[in-house]
Amino acid sequence: VRWQLMLRPIRPHPDFWLLLDSTIIGFTAVVLFGRAGELVRPYLISTREKVAFTSQLATWLLERIYDLLSVLLLFGFALTRITSTSTKLGTTMEWVLSTGGSLAGILAAACLSLLIVFGLFPVFVENRLVAVLIVLPLQYQKRVTGLVQAFLSGTSSTRRGSFVFLLIFYTFCEWCLIVACFLCLFRAVPFTHSLGILDALIVVGFVAFGSALQIPGVGGGMQVATVLVLTELFRIPLESASGLAVLIWVVTFVSVVPIGLLLALKGGLKWRKLLQTKEMQPL
């Protein structure tokens, strides 16, 4: 739904089911091939909706920026309330984390505000970027300028105030669903049954940054981050924390793979050819 909103300025009536299909296949590629698979989703959407790949790459980047700022806000808020959580820390460490949470929240709010302002005044941003490109040799200037304009077209969903606030709203709803998923998993396991919503926010914050390191087929960073935060902050035994980390990874990542593989087979997609095509794209 969020990608559909960002696509509307350049494709007024995007097909929701094609976007859903491409998203599921794209997430499957991330699980199977690591972060290299991130480019599969914007590539599929660009080919199926017949729009420039650079514009969808910009949409993906914009999506990641909003996700990062949102998780910083939620994470920062949880850390400022760390004394009200189930963490078992000393007074000094609680103060450090609480102060860090305040700084993270303020930084995220400031960046989000700037993003909104730039989104409402895109012509100014485009003019400034094009002016900077004058220093390039003429043979590269036109090509890079074209890429910049195509790239900015992918962020054109932020050129209207209503789109900006809808984008923020959808992002907020997405992360509420993610936190709710973690909270349900905690309630389903005896040794984390007592953890509340603030605890879930803290875990989600650490896991979101840990998942940036995605080893093909096995995850990696997400599980390590989950184990560390559960053992160090909540004093949960290593074995139990490791089991819960694998469970979270399976539910939130691996569960999409069977559906994604079926959709890819139905669409006649070949993973090797798809990844080779991505490597040849001029970014």
Side-chain angles (χ1 to χ4, degrees), residues 206-225:
F206 280 105
V207 170
F209 290 109
S211 61
L213 176 62
Q214 186 77 9
I215 301 174
V218 297
M222 179 182 181
Q223 294 94 314
V224 172

PDB file of all heavy atoms in Angstrom, residues 206-225:
ATOM      1  N   PHE A 206      16.832  -2.748  18.379  1.00  0.00           N
ATOM      2  CA  PHE A 206      18.125  -3.407  18.195  1.00  0.00           C
ATOM      3  C   PHE A 206      18.097  -4.361  17.003  1.00  0.00           C
ATOM      4  O   PHE A 206      19.053  -4.416  16.212  1.00  0.00           O
ATOM      5  CB  PHE A 206      18.509  -4.180  19.460  1.00  0.00           C
ATOM      6  CG  PHE A 206      19.097  -3.315  20.545  1.00  0.00           C
ATOM      7  CD1 PHE A 206      18.355  -2.977  21.666  1.00  0.00           C
ATOM      8  CD2 PHE A 206      20.393  -2.839  20.448  1.00  0.00           C
ATOM      9  CE1 PHE A 206      18.889  -2.175  22.669  1.00  0.00           C
ATOM     10  CE2 PHE A 206      20.937  -2.047  21.435  1.00  0.00           C
ATOM     11  CZ  PHE A 206      20.191  -1.714  22.559  1.00  0.00           C
ATOM     12  N   VAL A 207      17.001  -5.115  16.865  1.00  0.00           N
ATOM     13  CA  VAL A 207      16.903  -6.103  15.789  1.00  0.00           C
ATOM     14  C   VAL A 207      16.856  -5.425  14.427  1.00  0.00           C
ATOM     15  O   VAL A 207      17.432  -5.925  13.451  1.00  0.00           O
ATOM     16  CB  VAL A 207      15.657  -6.996  15.997  1.00  0.00           C
ATOM     17  CG1 VAL A 207      15.408  -7.870  14.769  1.00  0.00           C
ATOM     18  CG2 VAL A 207      15.842  -7.879  17.223  1.00  0.00           C
ATOM     19  N   ALA A 208      16.189  -4.266  14.331  1.00  0.00           N
ATOM     20  CA  ALA A 208      16.099  -3.543  13.055  1.00  0.00           C
ATOM     21  C   ALA A 208      17.479  -3.168  12.543  1.00  0.00           C
ATOM     22  O   ALA A 208      17.761  -3.272  11.340  1.00  0.00           O
ATOM     23  CB  ALA A 208      15.234  -2.300  13.219  1.00  0.00           C
ATOM     24  N   PHE A 209      18.359  -2.732  13.455  1.00  0.00           N
ATOM     25  CA  PHE A 209      19.711  -2.388  13.038  1.00  0.00           C
ATOM     26  C   PHE A 209      20.543  -3.642  12.775  1.00  0.00           C
ATOM     27  O   PHE A 209      21.376  -3.668  11.867  1.00  0.00           O
ATOM     28  CB  PHE A 209      20.388  -1.521  14.102  1.00  0.00           C
ATOM     29  CG  PHE A 209      19.799  -0.144  14.200  1.00  0.00           C
ATOM     30  CD1 PHE A 209      19.035   0.225  15.287  1.00  0.00           C
ATOM     31  CD2 PHE A 209      19.996   0.785  13.190  1.00  0.00           C
ATOM     32  CE1 PHE A 209      18.475   1.488  15.379  1.00  0.00           C
ATOM     33  CE2 PHE A 209      19.445   2.046  13.265  1.00  0.00           C
ATOM     34  CZ  PHE A 209      18.683   2.403  14.361  1.00  0.00           C
ATOM     35  N   GLY A 210      20.308  -4.689  13.555  1.00  0.00           N
ATOM     36  CA  GLY A 210      21.040  -5.930  13.340  1.00  0.00           C
ATOM     37  C   GLY A 210      20.689  -6.599  12.028  1.00  0.00           C
ATOM     38  O   GLY A 210      21.539  -7.238  11.396  1.00  0.00           O
ATOM     39  N   SER A 211      19.431  -6.441  11.575  1.00  0.00           N
ATOM     40  CA  SER A 211      19.002  -7.099  10.337  1.00  0.00           C
ATOM     41  C   SER A 211      19.608  -6.459   9.099  1.00  0.00           C
ATOM     42  O   SER A 211      19.441  -6.966   7.990  1.00  0.00           O
ATOM     43  CB  SER A 211      17.476  -7.075  10.229  1.00  0.00           C
ATOM     44  OG  SER A 211      16.996  -5.743  10.196  1.00  0.00           O
ATOM     45  N   ALA A 212      20.299  -5.327   9.266  1.00  0.00           N
ATOM     46  CA  ALA A 212      20.989  -4.718   8.126  1.00  0.00           C
ATOM     47  C   ALA A 212      22.046  -5.660   7.561  1.00  0.00           C
ATOM     48  O   ALA A 212      22.346  -5.646   6.367  1.00  0.00           O
ATOM     49  CB  ALA A 212      21.634  -3.403   8.545  1.00  0.00           C
ATOM     50  N   LEU A 213      22.598  -6.524   8.440  1.00  0.00           N
ATOM     51  CA  LEU A 213      23.546  -7.553   8.001  1.00  0.00           C
ATOM     52  C   LEU A 213      22.761  -8.835   7.779  1.00  0.00           C
ATOM     53  O   LEU A 213      22.388  -9.512   8.729  1.00  0.00           O
ATOM     54  CB  LEU A 213      24.643  -7.774   9.045  1.00  0.00           C
ATOM     55  CG  LEU A 213      25.648  -8.888   8.746  1.00  0.00           C
ATOM     56  CD1 LEU A 213      26.407  -8.589   7.463  1.00  0.00           C
ATOM     57  CD2 LEU A 213      26.615  -9.079   9.907  1.00  0.00           C
ATOM     58  N   GLN A 214      22.483  -9.155   6.527  1.00  0.00           N
ATOM     59  CA  GLN A 214      21.651 -10.298   6.187  1.00  0.00           C
ATOM     60  C   GLN A 214      22.472 -11.290   5.386  1.00  0.00           C
ATOM     61  O   GLN A 214      22.763 -11.078   4.208  1.00  0.00           O
ATOM     62  CB  GLN A 214      20.433  -9.832   5.380  1.00  0.00           C
ATOM     63  CG  GLN A 214      19.422 -10.916   5.090  1.00  0.00           C
ATOM     64  CD  GLN A 214      18.562 -11.258   6.286  1.00  0.00           C
ATOM     65  OE1 GLN A 214      18.593 -10.585   7.291  1.00  0.00           O
ATOM     66  NE2 GLN A 214      17.796 -12.327   6.172  1.00  0.00           N
ATOM     67  N   ILE A 215      22.881 -12.386   6.040  1.00  0.00           N
ATOM     68  CA  ILE A 215      23.650 -13.426   5.355  1.00  0.00           C
ATOM     69  C   ILE A 215      22.687 -14.297   4.554  1.00  0.00           C
ATOM     70  O   ILE A 215      21.653 -14.729   5.099  1.00  0.00           O
ATOM     71  CB  ILE A 215      24.430 -14.287   6.364  1.00  0.00           C
ATOM     72  CG1 ILE A 215      25.394 -13.394   7.171  1.00  0.00           C
ATOM     73  CG2 ILE A 215      25.198 -15.390   5.654  1.00  0.00           C
ATOM     74  CD1 ILE A 215      26.096 -14.114   8.285  1.00  0.00           C
ATOM     75  N   PRO A 216      22.949 -14.545   3.268  1.00  0.00           N
ATOM     76  CA  PRO A 216      22.029 -15.311   2.429  1.00  0.00           C
ATOM     77  C   PRO A 216      21.628 -16.644   3.054  1.00  0.00           C
ATOM     78  O   PRO A 216      22.477 -17.436   3.443  1.00  0.00           O
ATOM     79  CB  PRO A 216      22.819 -15.533   1.131  1.00  0.00           C
ATOM     80  CG  PRO A 216      23.760 -14.375   1.075  1.00  0.00           C
ATOM     81  CD  PRO A 216      24.134 -14.104   2.512  1.00  0.00           C
ATOM     82  N   GLY A 217      20.320 -16.863   3.181  1.00  0.00           N
ATOM     83  CA  GLY A 217      19.787 -18.140   3.633  1.00  0.00           C
ATOM     84  C   GLY A 217      19.766 -18.358   5.129  1.00  0.00           C
ATOM     85  O   GLY A 217      18.996 -19.179   5.623  1.00  0.00           O
ATOM     86  N   VAL A 218      20.577 -17.642   5.887  1.00  0.00           N
ATOM     87  CA  VAL A 218      20.646 -17.906   7.335  1.00  0.00           C
ATOM     88  C   VAL A 218      20.386 -16.671   8.187  1.00  0.00           C
ATOM     89  O   VAL A 218      20.352 -16.760   9.419  1.00  0.00           O
ATOM     90  CB  VAL A 218      22.021 -18.507   7.728  1.00  0.00           C
ATOM     91  CG1 VAL A 218      22.219 -19.845   7.056  1.00  0.00           C
ATOM     92  CG2 VAL A 218      23.160 -17.551   7.397  1.00  0.00           C
ATOM     93  N   GLY A 219      20.201 -15.518   7.577  1.00  0.00           N
ATOM     94  CA  GLY A 219      19.954 -14.306   8.371  1.00  0.00           C
ATOM     95  C   GLY A 219      21.243 -13.746   8.910  1.00  0.00           C
ATOM     96  O   GLY A 219      21.984 -13.073   8.222  1.00  0.00           O
ATOM     97  N   GLY A 220      21.530 -14.050  10.156  1.00  0.00           N
ATOM     98  CA  GLY A 220      22.803 -13.642  10.751  1.00  0.00           C
ATOM     99  C   GLY A 220      22.668 -12.504  11.738  1.00  0.00           C
ATOM    100  O   GLY A 220      22.531 -12.718  12.947  1.00  0.00           O
ATOM    101  N   GLY A 221      22.728 -11.280  11.223  1.00  0.00           N
ATOM    102  CA  GLY A 221      22.726 -10.112  12.100  1.00  0.00           C
ATOM    103  C   GLY A 221      21.493 -10.000  12.961  1.00  0.00           C
ATOM    104  O   GLY A 221      21.563  -9.593  14.123  1.00  0.00           O
ATOM    105  N   MET A 222      20.348 -10.368  12.424  1.00  0.00           N
ATOM    106  CA  MET A 222      19.100 -10.294  13.175  1.00  0.00           C
ATOM    107  C   MET A 222      19.131 -11.208  14.394  1.00  0.00           C
ATOM    108  O   MET A 222      18.764 -10.809  15.502  1.00  0.00           O
ATOM    109  CB  MET A 222      17.932 -10.676  12.261  1.00  0.00           C
ATOM    110  CG  MET A 222      16.586 -10.657  12.948  1.00  0.00           C
ATOM    111  SD  MET A 222      15.259 -11.159  11.834  1.00  0.00           S
ATOM    112  CE  MET A 222      13.853 -11.006  12.944  1.00  0.00           C
ATOM    113  N   GLN A 223      19.587 -12.455  14.188  1.00  0.00           N
ATOM    114  CA  GLN A 223      19.631 -13.402  15.303  1.00  0.00           C
ATOM    115  C   GLN A 223      20.639 -12.968  16.365  1.00  0.00           C
ATOM    116  O   GLN A 223      20.380 -13.073  17.565  1.00  0.00           O
ATOM    117  CB  GLN A 223      19.988 -14.808  14.800  1.00  0.00           C
ATOM    118  CG  GLN A 223      18.931 -15.435  13.912  1.00  0.00           C
ATOM    119  CD  GLN A 223      19.191 -15.214  12.447  1.00  0.00           C
ATOM    120  OE1 GLN A 223      19.496 -14.100  12.039  1.00  0.00           O
ATOM    121  NE2 GLN A 223      19.071 -16.267  11.650  1.00  0.00           N
ATOM    122  N   VAL A 224      21.798 -12.475  15.915  1.00  0.00           N
ATOM    123  CA  VAL A 224      22.823 -12.026  16.863  1.00  0.00           C
ATOM    124  C   VAL A 224      22.303 -10.869  17.702  1.00  0.00           C
ATOM    125  O   VAL A 224      22.465 -10.841  18.934  1.00  0.00           O
ATOM    126  CB  VAL A 224      24.104 -11.611  16.111  1.00  0.00           C
ATOM    127  CG1 VAL A 224      25.102 -10.962  17.063  1.00  0.00           C
ATOM    128  CG2 VAL A 224      24.741 -12.828  15.439  1.00  0.00           C
ATOM    129  N   ALA A 225      21.653  -9.890  17.057  1.00  0.00           N
ATOM    130  CA  ALA A 225      21.115  -8.747  17.781  1.00  0.00           C
ATOM    131  C   ALA A 225      20.044  -9.179  18.780  1.00  0.00           C
ATOM    132  O   ALA A 225      19.996  -8.676  19.917  1.00  0.00           O
ATOM    133  CB  ALA A 225      20.537  -7.727  16.793  1.00  0.00           C
TER     134      ALA A 225
END
